[in-house]
Structures are given as structure tokens and as C-alpha cells.
Amino acid sequence: MSTDTAESIQPPKGKPKWLRVKLPTGKKYTQLRGLVEKYDLNTICTSGSCPNMGECWGEGTATFMILGNICTRSCGFCGVQTGRPENVDWAEPEKVARSIKIMSIKHAVITSVDRDDLKDMGSIIWSETVKAIRRMNPETTLETLIPDFQGIERHLDRIIDVAPEVVSHNMETVKRLTREVRIQAKYERSLEVLRYLRANGANRTKSGIMLGLGEQEDEVIQTLKDLREANVDVVTIGQYLQPSKKHLPVKEFILPEQFRKYEAIGLEMGFRHVESGALVRSSYKAHKHIN
């Protein structure tokens, strides 16, 4: 990734060839797609048109979003609708657990919108969802990709108490760009969330960042250093893609060799796993991150 040329900050024209993906295929994918459509199951894999859906489903991994599809925050990178969320569906934990059972998911990633409108920030539904999945799918391993819960410890404790195999919270970008990219979030608060989780009993912690928003190489490396200092175990690094014209533009398409460089740097720093590539998303190869 260049750091000193004018071209590096100009909006690029057209996606490069390494961002083109084949349509998912395979017996397992076809089977799961049929189940999702038949039972109207809500997975982020399908609603987010994830490029890795076929690969993940083939390995028995899927991602589910709880607490509705309207977020109280308005991040500049995210395609989720912003506004006044609907009432909490207290039957949702059982619905998600049933979906996982129907799909025979071996490793489930659970995520959610931010619910700053709720006194508990949604942490009770989070806790109940993990418990329901454990009851109905005792062999399924779990990753919880959580919001920051405004850094309130009693909400974070609810996640720690139900002991998912991995607790993840994404930094999304470097410190300098956080105010523009994440708006209502804070870089240091997210780091403190990850630090608190690890220090208070979380089995394994994980975070992710996107590239192509105008960050510089030294800023990415500093973010990786900050995550290691917070004792984060796993990091994912992927290419930001603009969800719509209303969202932040892509400033740069990062070269594959640059992603490989960041992977090597991260592993040298001591991360247990580093997933770094243009098509990498938060839950990419998530089933491997429990080991």
C-alpha cells in the first residue's frame, strides 16, 4: 500500500480482479440454502451477500444477527439501517437456536446491531441467546461478535458469564479515522472493551479491521500493536467495500501482497490467528479460531 502518492487517496475506478468471486456451489451449500429459504431463517451470510458464504457453509459455519435489523448508530461504513429499533423479541433466542439446529451448524457466529436505546444495551438478549443455543445445540461452538455496550462492565460481564468460545469486538479502522468511520464509537473504548474481556475470563478474544478507507501502513501496524497489548488473540483484516453511494467511498483497493505483509507482521507480533485478505470478513474461517 503506497503511503505518499496522490493516486493512493483518489477513489479507485472499478473493482480489481482479486475481488471477483465465483458463485457459491457444492452439496452442503445447496442443502443449507434450501433450508434457509424453506424455514425463512435469518442469516447475515445471505442478507449481507457475504463472498465467503459457500466456503463457510461448506465447513458448517454460519452467522446470525439478533436484536433486529435497525441500528441506533450511523457508522459511515455500514449498510445496516439506522433509526428507531423495533421492540425486543424475547422469543428470538429460541428462534436462533432452532435455526442453528435445523441447519446443523457446527460453529455459529452471533452478532447484533447496537441497541443504545435499551437500558441493558441488549446484553440480556445476548446472554439468553447463547444459553438457548447451548441447550438446543450442545455440540455447537460459538463466537459472539458484540457491540461495545458503551463499555459498561456489567453488560460485558453477561457475555463473559455465558462463556462463548470466542468473544469478538471489531475496531473496524485505525485511530485517526475512527470518528469519521464509526461516529458514535471510540477507539480507546473499544480497546478497553477487548482488554476487559480478556482480563476477566473471556476464553478467547478477537477483533477486525477494514482497509481502503485512507489509512496508512504505520497506522495499521499501530492498531495491530494496540490489539496485542490488549491481549487480543485473533485478528481479521479485510478490504472495505462501499455498501451504497451514501456511505464512505473506497479510497484504495489494497494489493494482495500488502494483505500478506500484514498477516506476517501480525503473526510475528504473537496473534494466535491472523486472517488477512481482500475478501476476509469478521467471521471468515471463524471455526478455526477456537483452537
Side-chain angles (χ1 to χ4, degrees), residues 19-35:
L19 280 171
R20 298 170 192 159
V21 294
K22 296 179 180 179
L23 291 174
T25 57
K27 184 178 179 180
K28 182 70 172 177
Y29 167 78
T30 303
Q31 179 188 20
L32 289 181
R33 186 83 201 204
L35 289 172

Side-chain angles (χ1 to χ4, degrees), residues 181-252:
V181 173
R182 298 176 69 200
I183 304 176
Q184 294 103 320
K186 299 176 181 178
Y187 185 88
E188 293 298 339
R189 183 167 69 190
S190 285
L191 275 180
E192 187 52 42
V193 163
L194 289 160
R195 191 177 291 114
Y196 180 85
L197 290 166
R198 199 69 176 89
N200 288 276
N203 294 314
R204 184 156 299 172
T205 54
K206 174 179 169 181
S207 191
I209 59 174
M210 306 170 293
L211 304 185
L213 286 158
E215 69 290 324
Q216 304 296 329
E217 180 179 290
D218 62 329
E219 294 177 306
V220 176
I221 294 171
Q222 183 59 53
T223 301
L224 293 175
K225 288 180 180 177
D226 291 341
L227 289 170
R228 276 306 298 138
E229 288 173 3
N231 290 316
V232 170
D233 300 291
V234 182
V235 65
T236 62
I237 309 170
Q239 171 72 51
Y240 167 67
L241 296 175
Q242 187 179 23
S244 78
K245 291 182 179 179
K246 295 186 294 184
H247 292 84
L248 293 170
V250 175
K251 297 289 182 66
E252 183 179 11

Side-chain angles (χ1 to χ4, degrees), residues 32-61:
L32 289 181
R33 186 83 201 204
L35 289 172
V36 166
E37 292 173 357
K38 179 179 179 180
Y39 293 100
D40 193 25
L41 306 180
N42 181 27
T43 73
I44 282 291
C45 316
T46 49
S47 61
S49 301
C50 179
N52 306 308
M53 181 164 52
E55 182 180 352
C56 291
W57 282 12
E59 294 168 339
T61 301

Side-chain angles (χ1 to χ4, degrees), residues 114-171:
D114 282 277
R115 291 300 302 261
D116 298 311
D117 58 312
L118 301 174
K119 187 176 293 187
D120 72 324
M121 308 289 164
S123 60
I124 293 175
I125 280 285
W126 265 102
S127 174
E128 292 303 312
T129 300
V130 173
K131 291 176 184 177
I133 295 168
R134 295 287 198 213
R135 285 195 302 269
M136 204 175 296
N137 308 274
E139 300 302 316
T140 298
T141 53
L142 290 171
E143 175 183 327
T144 52
L145 174 52
I146 64 171
D148 63 21
F149 296 132
Q150 294 186 9
I152 299 171
E153 292 177 359
R154 67 179 180 276
H155 304 329
L156 296 170
D157 288 340
R158 290 192 176 105
I159 304 298
I160 296 170
D161 289 346
V162 292
E165 279 73 14
V166 179
V167 185
S168 183
H169 173 65
N170 285 342
M171 298 298 294

